[in-house]
Amino acid sequence: MRNKLIETRKTGRRTRTSHAQVVDELGKAIVAGTYPVGSILPGDTELAQRFKVSRTVLRETMKTLAAKGMVVAKARVGTRVTEKNLWNMFDSEIIAWHFDNGVTEEFLLQLYDIRLAVEPFAAGLVAERANAEDIEMLRELALEMAAAGHTADSLALADLRFHLALAEASHNPFMRTLGSLIEAALVGMFRMSTPPSENGFANIADTHMRIVDAIVAGDSAAARRAMEVVIVDGRDHVREAFAARGSQAVIGSISAAISSL
């Protein structure tokens, strides 16, 4: 399983191609509002000088950003930043750029809206379709959350592995594409919150094991309900963290923490 949001932080800029680096810089600038919606990006000559890349690299960069829905090129006008409702918010890089810019409460809660709309149904599918290997994997991952000595980072990773494995066990390829959204929501929640022993995460293994038990019983309705409980609990932690620490403090802690993963 690929942990895209985490991996993009672990891979240094030195490992990136020129194309990937320019996409990253311009993408972050667009999300941050440096180039606001409706504005025209600088021309090829200016960007080529700024990034020390060829026009070929710039053309490929614009194609990549256009494929993400973030820009549109028009003859004799230039490349314009599109409205945000046209951006592909399922794209892992766009999600990562939002984290780089500082995540708002609204953004994280919107991630939980999508999780709540999709993951309970996925859990129900797993109850109907999982094989013995799927179930054993999910059981092991739920038990891993109960291991002693977890940090916020390691518990977030254990939780992420469980949810990505469940998406795989649904045997529906569309569910697997939600990995970036799940990862962003989980990393944001854990990094905003206090250590597990202090904030109620200590029961996380139990709540996830209830999902596994329902899957083993082949009870799709119970699996959906158990998943809803897990997601609603996570959403509540996000709200509590913003209320307790203030939006600016939370934004700063997320941005710094994500880069350390």
Side-chain angles (χ1 to χ4, degrees):
M1 290 179 286
R2 286 176 54 81
N3 305 331
K4 294 178 182 177
L5 192 65
I6 293 174
E7 286 182 355
T8 54
R9 268 63 191 165
K10 287 184 175 179
T11 56
R13 291 182 183 276
R14 290 171 297 180
T15 64
R16 292 177 180 170
T17 63
S18 295
H19 165 259
Q21 186 169 342
V22 179
V23 168
D24 186 61
E25 292 297 326
L26 286 177
K28 284 192 291 189
I30 291 171
V31 170
T34 304
Y35 301 117
V37 167
S39 66
I40 303 298
L41 294 181
D44 286 356
T45 301
E46 181 179 339
L47 291 176
Q49 291 176 347
R50 181 186 306 179
F51 294 111
K52 304 295 189 292
V53 295
S54 67
R55 290 176 181 269
T56 299
V57 169
L58 288 177
R59 283 195 294 270
E60 292 304 312
T61 295
M62 295 309 167
K63 287 180 182 178
T64 299
L65 293 175
K68 296 177 186 294
M70 301 181 77
V71 301
V72 61
K74 291 190 175 182
R76 295 185 296 279
V77 174
T79 302
R80 180 176 58 82
V81 177
T82 59
E83 297 288 337
K84 289 186 177 180
N85 63 350
L86 298 176
W87 299 1
N88 178 13
M89 295 304 296
F90 288 85
D91 185 282
S92 61
E93 286 188 303
I94 292 180
I95 294 172
W97 293 330
H98 278 81
F99 272 80
D100 287 334
N101 189 48
V103 180
T104 64
E105 180 179 16
E106 180 184 27
F107 181 82
L108 276 180
L109 292 180
Q110 287 169 343
L111 289 175
Y112 275 90
D113 287 343
I114 297 299
R115 291 190 66 198
L116 198 54
V118 175
E119 286 191 80
F121 185 76
L125 288 181
V126 176
E128 297 171 3
R129 302 175 179 178
N131 56 41
E133 184 178 353
D134 294 330
I135 291 171
E136 183 59 28
M137 172 64 75
L138 289 170
R139 187 184 300 280
E140 289 178 4
L141 292 173
L143 289 172
E144 183 182 337
M145 296 181 208
H150 270 304
T151 64
D153 287 347
S154 65
L155 189 55
L157 186 56
D159 198 356
L160 173 62
R161 286 172 176 155
F162 178 91
H163 287 274
L164 294 183
L166 187 138
E168 289 284 341
S170 72
H171 298 285
N172 183 322
F174 292 100
M175 294 296 180
R176 299 168 191 160
T177 65
L178 298 176
S180 296
L181 300 180
I182 296 169
E183 181 175 3
L186 289 173
V187 171
M189 176 187 71
F190 279 101
R191 292 308 315 208
M192 282 194 304
S193 305
T194 52
S197 60
E198 299 176 23
N199 68 2
F201 288 161
N203 70 341
I204 192 169
D206 293 337
T207 57
H208 284 70
M209 190 58 75
R210 291 188 192 111
I211 298 173
V212 177
D213 290 341
I215 290 170
V216 171
D219 189 337
S220 59
R224 288 195 296 271
R225 289 193 299 269
M227 178 62 81
E228 286 175 359
V229 168
V230 166
I231 297 173
V232 169
D233 186 56
R235 185 181 63 186
D236 289 343
H237 279 295
V238 169
R239 286 175 170 154
E240 290 166 6
F242 273 94
R245 299 168 67 176
S247 59
Q248 290 300 330
V250 171
I251 288 171
S253 68
I254 293 174
S255 188
I258 291 296
S259 64
S260 70
L261 289 178

